[in-house]
Amino acid sequence: MDNIKFDFKNRTAVVTGGAQGFGLDIAKRYLKSGAKVIIWDIDHKLTEKVVKDLNNQNLTANTVDISDFKEVKSCVD
């Protein structure tokens, strides 16, 4: 799969559950493809760790419980 090239420059991806597991792998793939990535995850400490560990200027994160509409709307706004 690494030989497949995607160009997501000038695009932004929001990845829910992005601090671990499949979400983290998806976020890494978007970053590798040039996207700006915003990780939304409920685990604040893990989210901070991921941002620090990946150390990528195109990566930001928000602590969000996506089951709470008000939190999601607040992050979108």
Side-chain angles (χ1 to χ4, degrees), residues 15-49:
V15 181
T16 59
Q20 60 187 330
F22 289 123
L24 179 56
D25 287 340
I26 291 166
K28 288 177 181 178
R29 182 62 186 212
Y30 275 127
L31 288 168
K32 185 176 179 180
S33 298
K36 292 183 180 181
V37 176
I38 305 167
I39 289 175
W40 283 4
D41 202 286
I42 198 167
D43 189 329
H44 180 73
K45 288 183 182 180
L46 188 57
T47 303
E48 285 184 334
K49 181 181 181 323

Side-chain angles (χ1 to χ4, degrees), residues 3-77:
N3 60 348
I4 299 172
K5 305 293 182 207
F6 296 99
D7 183 5
F8 289 111
K9 291 180 183 84
N10 301 315
R11 303 209 182 234
T12 301
V14 175
V15 181
T16 59
Q20 60 187 330
F22 289 123
L24 179 56
D25 287 340
I26 291 166
K28 288 177 181 178
R29 182 62 186 212
Y30 275 127
L31 288 168
K32 185 176 179 180
S33 298
K36 292 183 180 181
V37 176
I38 305 167
I39 289 175
W40 283 4
D41 202 286
I42 198 167
D43 189 329
H44 180 73
K45 288 183 182 180
L46 188 57
T47 303
E48 285 184 334
K49 181 181 181 323
V50 166
V51 170
K52 183 180 175 187
D53 289 350
L54 292 182
N55 190 30
N56 188 308
Q57 67 183 13
N58 288 329
L59 177 64
T60 58
N62 296 101
T63 303
V64 182
D65 177 356
I66 63 166
S67 69
D68 183 335
F69 179 77
K70 288 180 182 178
E71 279 190 46
V72 171
K73 183 162 178 10
S74 176
C75 276
V76 169
D77 290 342

